[in-house]
Amino acid sequence: MRMLCMRLLFGGMILGAAACSKYNPNHLASVSTSQFGSKIEGFDSSDQVAASNLVAYWSFDGTEKESISGIGPAANVNDSYVTKGVRGQGLELNNGYLYYTQQIPNLGTNLHSFTVIAWVQVLNNGSTPTSIWQLSRPGNLYGNINFLCETGQNPASDLNDFIVHPDYFDGGGTQDNLNANWAPDGAGTYYSPTIGPNIWTQIGVTFDSATVILQVWADGKRIGTTSYQQRGTALYKPTVPDEVIIGGWYNDIPGKTVTTDTWTVPMVGGVDEIRVYNAALGAADIKALYELGQAGK
């Protein structure tokens, strides 16, 4: 009923308490709209969204440390800060990466369901994929969680086809989903965010261990297929010790090469606001993180 009074007010009518009570049969306490004027989806900042489930966070606002554990990278290559990140500064990689060798406590075997959200400024390149964030397994090319974009599938001139293709380790192999441009869900179901050299794009992956559903997200909406989201009985089964590589692969790190593949090249582009949760966030929370990020909150 409060909403009806607000609409009448915005329509130019000034209503007194008596007039408003006509539409308030339950006599609910009045609430000032100023309490909600700056909120987005009910939140003041991204830090409030699923705060109790946040287990790792990289702000890149003047630091490369993972904020909750305080662990910094053991190696950083061709990295710099940009002033215009999503919130404050962001990280720029020019054929670069960050490598964290110390076990981040919250990213161990107690992680069953998960969400990884990141903001990127990445273009297609027509030749190689881009690894955004990897929860790595030492000695293996693919880690426990591999969050990558298939930037090699389309030319650099294509700003309307950006394939987000994460996967996770199930104890024997990997399970994946993506925004498939062949539209296995049917005509009109393929969606890609619009990318560009100065556009921060939100990308995400969620895995729910209860439903065994793996989903992919971009700019606040689901983009992964429903055809490939159900992974049967293939639960996420991480191994430890694990490490984190942002923007690269083991093959890029001196002394850590695990295969002779030549397509595993370091990242070119920007990354900001990497958040890892120990739950599969719902659509409302992911939308809120997108809108808050757009507002610099």
Side-chain angles (χ1 to χ4, degrees):
M1 300 308 169
R2 188 166 59 247
M3 291 297 293
L4 178 57
C5 292
M6 289 168 61
R7 284 197 295 269
L8 290 173
L9 176 60
F10 292 143
M13 296 179 62
I14 301 175
L15 299 178
C20 227
S21 65
K22 176 181 178 181
Y23 301 99
N24 187 12
N26 296 319
H27 302 287
L28 300 176
S30 62
V31 179
S32 171
T33 57
S34 64
Q35 297 180 35
F36 300 95
S38 63
K39 292 183 183 291
I40 296 176
E41 300 293 330
F43 301 102
D44 293 310
S45 80
S46 299
D47 299 330
Q48 295 177 348
V49 180
S52 63
N53 297 110
L54 185 69
V55 294
Y57 171 50
W58 286 262
S59 71
F60 299 120
D61 197 10
T63 179
E64 293 175 341
K65 290 183 178 181
E66 190 281 304
S67 298
I68 295 175
S69 67
I71 294 172
N76 52 310
V77 174
N78 296 331
D79 58 315
S80 61
Y81 294 115
V82 294
T83 57
K84 295 182 179 180
V86 176
R87 300 199 311 168
Q89 294 176 307
L91 183 70
E92 181 77 17
L93 295 172
N94 185 13
N95 287 307
Y97 60 84
L98 306 181
Y99 175 39
Y100 299 76
T101 58
Q102 187 175 345
Q103 174 77 49
I104 295 176
N106 289 338
L107 301 183
T109 54
N110 289 331
L111 192 65
H112 303 296
S113 298
F114 62 80
T115 297
V116 184
I117 298 285
W119 290 76
V120 297
Q121 282 186 347
V122 179
L123 297 177
N124 291 312
N125 56 52
S127 59
T128 58
T130 299
S131 179
I132 306 300
W133 185 89
Q134 185 184 78
L135 185 58
S136 308
R137 295 185 298 130
N140 296 273
L141 182 63
Y142 289 96
N144 288 322
I145 301 173
N146 307 285
F147 195 14
L148 64 87
C149 299
E150 298 285 2
T151 49
Q153 290 191 6
N154 298 291
S157 59
D158 189 344
L159 305 180
N160 299 305
D161 293 287
F162 188 64
I163 307 302
V164 185
H165 191 186
D167 63 63
Y168 67 86
F169 184 60
D170 65 4
T174 57
Q175 301 289 326
D176 67 323
N177 197 0
L178 75 167
N179 54 324
N181 56 9
W182 57 91
D185 296 343
T189 59
Y190 166 66
Y191 173 79
S192 167
T194 299
I195 59 174
N198 299 309
I199 295 175
W200 283 107
T201 300
Q202 183 210 48
I203 58 174
V205 54
T206 57
F207 176 72
D208 187 338
S209 63
T211 60
V212 201
I213 286 179
L214 178 70
Q215 242 331 318
V216 189
W217 307 78
D219 287 351
K221 64 178 69 176
R222 179 184 65 80
I223 65 170
T225 71
T226 56
S227 296
Y228 306 147
Q229 70 175 3
Q230 175 55 248
R231 308 316 298 174
T233 59
L235 294 173
Y236 172 57
K237 297 179 181 178
T239 62
V240 293
D242 55 33
E243 301 176 330
V244 170
I245 306 174
I246 295 174
W249 309 79
Y250 273 130
N251 286 352
D252 303 322
I253 303 170
K256 296 290 183 178
T257 302
V258 292
T259 72
T260 59
D261 293 296
T262 59
W263 50 265
T264 53
V265 299
M267 178 177 174
V268 176
V271 61
D272 201 5
E273 290 290 309
I274 300 177
R275 295 173 180 268
V276 184
Y277 300 85
N278 63 3
L281 298 192
D285 281 343
I286 293 174
K287 180 174 181 283
L289 286 169
Y290 171 63
E291 293 183 356
L292 287 160
Q294 281 199 313
K297 296 184 176 185

